[in-house]
Amino acid sequence: MSVNKNILQTKSVISKYELFGIIALFLIVLILFYPKGRLEKLIYLETKNYDLSIKYLEALHKAYPEEKIFPIALLRLYLKAGKLKEAKGLLKKLERTKKFSNSVKFAEIGYLVYKNLYFNHKDKKYLTKAKNYLIKLASMHPAKNRYEFIFKESRSMNFLDLEYKALKELVKTNPNKEYLKEFLNLSLYYKDFKAALSIIDYLYAEEKNMKYLEEKAKIYEYTKKPIKAKEIYLYLFKTTKDKELKTKYFLRAIYILAWNKKYNEAAWLAKKYENYFIKTKNISALKKLIKIYLQTNNAYLARRLSLKVLRVLDR
C-alpha cells in the first residue's frame, strides 16, 4: 500500500502546454498521412475551447505556411471567438499572396470577415470589400449550395445585383416558388422582361393566379406591344366575376389601344361591349366609353351611346 501511495504522490499531471504539444504532434501526423478531405473535416469539427484551438492552428500555420487548410480554419475560429482584429490581420496577410486567388472557401471566409468588420465599425469600405468577395465567389461558378449562400447573403446585405445573379443560377436547378417569385421581382426591377415572362408563365400554370396575367399585360404595355396587352386584359374581363375588376380590365384594354394610336381598334372594341355596361347600368364606365369615341373622332358613336345612357337614366 505504501508503494502505491508513493507512486500516486510522485505521479505528475500533464500540463496544458504538454497537452498542446501532444495534440500538435498528432495533427502533424495527420497532415502527413491523412487524405486532404478527411483532414479538413477533422479541423472544422465544432469546439467550445476556441482559444486553445486557435493556438493549435496558429502553431500549425506557422510550421506549415504552404498548407491552405490552416489559415482558412483559423479565420473561421477568429470569427467565432470574436477576434476581429486578428482575423483582419491574417486576412490582409493572406490577400498579399496569390495562392488563395482561386479558392472558393477563402472567398467565402473573406466575405464573412469583412461583413463582420462592417457591422462592427460601420465603415463602408468594409462593405465594399465584403461585396467584392461575393462577386469573386459568384464568378467562380461554385456549387449549388454556394449559390444559395450568395443569394441569402446578398439579400440580407441588399446587394440586389448579386442576389439576381445567384437566383438566375439557382432557378435553373431548383425552380422552387420562393426563388422564382424573388427572381420575378428582380427581373422586373432590372427590366429583364424575357426572364420575367418565362417565370410568369410557369407560376401562372402552377397557381392559376390572375395577378400573374396582370403583370404579363403590364410588361407588354411597357414594351409597346398593345395588342398582346389588350388580349390579356380582354381575357381577364371575360373570366373574372367581380364587376369592378371587369370594368377595370376592359377600360385598360381600350386605353392601351388609344394610347398607342390604334383608334379604330379602340372604337370597335368599345362598340362591341358597350351593351354589357348598359345592362349593368355602369354609368361611370359608359361615360368613359363616350370620351373614347370622341377622342377617336367617332362623334356618331358618341352621340348614339349618349342617347342610350339617357334612356337608362330615365328608367
Side-chain angles (χ1 to χ4, degrees), residues 116-146:
N116 278 271
L117 284 168
Y118 168 69
F119 282 118
N120 190 261
H121 297 286
K122 301 300 180 186
D123 189 333
K124 286 191 175 181
K125 72 179 181 184
Y126 294 129
L127 183 65
T128 301
K129 287 178 179 289
K131 185 175 182 180
N132 286 340
Y133 267 109
L134 272 191
I135 291 170
K136 187 175 184 180
L137 187 58
S139 70
M140 292 176 178
H141 303 291
K144 175 190 164 186
N145 63 328
R146 300 289 173 178

Side-chain angles (χ1 to χ4, degrees), residues 62-183:
K62 186 176 180 180
Y64 296 91
E66 294 305 312
E67 284 291 336
K68 295 180 181 179
I69 299 172
F70 301 137
I72 293 175
L74 191 52
L75 285 169
R76 290 186 186 280
L77 277 178
Y78 281 149
L79 286 182
K80 287 182 179 181
K83 296 179 180 288
L84 287 180
K85 183 178 178 182
E86 290 83 350
K88 179 184 174 182
L90 178 57
L91 182 59
K92 283 188 169 294
K93 180 182 174 182
L94 297 174
E95 285 175 336
R96 289 193 288 269
T97 72
K98 293 184 179 180
K99 63 182 180 180
F100 293 97
S101 59
N102 296 316
S103 171
V104 169
K105 288 184 178 178
F106 182 73
E108 183 180 301
I109 194 65
Y111 160 74
L112 291 172
V113 170
Y114 282 123
K115 174 187 175 182
N116 278 271
L117 284 168
Y118 168 69
F119 282 118
N120 190 261
H121 297 286
K122 301 300 180 186
D123 189 333
K124 286 191 175 181
K125 72 179 181 184
Y126 294 129
L127 183 65
T128 301
K129 287 178 179 289
K131 185 175 182 180
N132 286 340
Y133 267 109
L134 272 191
I135 291 170
K136 187 175 184 180
L137 187 58
S139 70
M140 292 176 178
H141 303 291
K144 175 190 164 186
N145 63 328
R146 300 289 173 178
Y147 276 117
E148 287 174 344
F149 172 81
I150 295 167
F151 161 62
K152 289 173 183 176
E153 289 298 325
S154 297
R155 184 166 61 174
S156 71
M157 300 297 286
N158 202 32
F159 298 151
L160 295 182
D161 52 338
L162 283 176
E163 183 185 350
Y164 180 59
K165 185 171 183 177
L167 279 170
K168 203 167 190 175
E169 295 300 322
L170 283 173
V171 297
K172 290 177 183 177
T173 55
N174 185 16
N176 71 49
K177 287 183 181 179
E178 179 197 354
Y179 290 159
L180 286 168
K181 289 177 181 180
E182 189 72 18
F183 189 44

Side-chain angles (χ1 to χ4, degrees), residues 281-301:
K281 297 183 178 180
N282 191 334
I283 304 302
S284 174
L286 289 167
K287 287 179 179 178
K288 289 172 183 176
L289 293 185
I290 291 169
K291 286 183 180 179
I292 287 290
Y293 287 143
L294 293 172
Q295 289 168 3
T296 57
N297 295 318
N298 284 282
Y300 168 75
L301 293 177

Side-chain angles (χ1 to χ4, degrees), residues 201-219:
D201 287 341
Y202 180 89
L203 289 173
Y204 178 70
E206 288 287 310
E207 299 180 14
K208 301 300 180 186
N209 193 322
M210 294 297 187
K211 71 179 182 181
Y212 295 120
L213 293 183
E214 278 195 66
E215 203 62 59
K216 191 173 183 178
K218 288 175 185 176
I219 291 173

